[in-house]
Amino acid sequence: MGGLEVYCLIAIVIYAVFMLKNIFTLFPRKKNSPLPVNYSPQLSVSIIIAARNEEENIIQCLQSIAQQDFPKELLEIVVVNDHSEDNTADLAIAFLKEHFPHYKFLH
């Protein structure tokens, strides 16, 4: 191997080390902070869902929210119906009435 090849190889290795260092600096690993066993949320949360002609998806969307561990009494669901021409409104209202104590449905 000649001098130029060795120099290029060293330059590539230094560049690779530099790039890896920057990647790990820019994107640090997330540290999991475990919650205490008796942790209970205190703040209320509002979730706003904009829907237009979502008859096929609105129930699945609302079910995924209903399955969360967050206390329902601290959760407000706001569904905004954007002039749907299908059964989105009726499905959403029925699901909201059955599963959430605090909800709003806006047209």
Side-chain angles (χ1 to χ4, degrees):
M1 214 189 273
L4 183 59
E5 287 95 7
V6 172
Y7 175 75
C8 288
L9 185 62
I10 292 172
I12 290 171
V13 169
I14 291 173
Y15 180 75
V17 169
F18 174 76
M19 290 304 293
L20 287 173
K21 178 190 168 292
N22 284 335
I23 288 171
F24 289 117
T25 302
L26 290 174
F27 304 107
R29 294 169 56 194
K30 291 183 180 179
K31 296 178 182 175
N32 293 335
S33 57
L35 295 173
V37 175
N38 59 352
Y39 176 76
S40 178
Q42 302 297 317
L43 296 175
S44 61
V45 173
S46 295
I47 298 175
I48 301 172
I49 303 167
R52 177 174 167 84
N53 297 331
E54 291 294 334
E55 181 178 44
E56 296 179 11
N57 302 312
I58 193 69
I59 296 299
Q60 183 179 357
C61 176
L62 293 171
Q63 280 177 340
S64 67
I65 296 169
Q67 293 172 352
Q68 300 300 313
D69 292 336
F70 199 81
K72 299 276 190 295
E73 62 274 2
L74 296 177
L75 191 61
E76 176 190 38
I77 307 297
V78 180
V79 177
V80 182
N81 183 25
D82 187 17
H83 304 289
S84 292
E85 298 168 348
D86 60 4
N87 203 20
T88 299
D90 297 333
L91 291 172
I93 290 170
F95 191 91
L96 290 168
K97 283 181 182 178
E98 185 178 338
H99 293 90
F100 296 103
H102 305 290
Y103 72 89
K104 292 180 185 173
F105 190 87
L106 306 173
H107 289 280

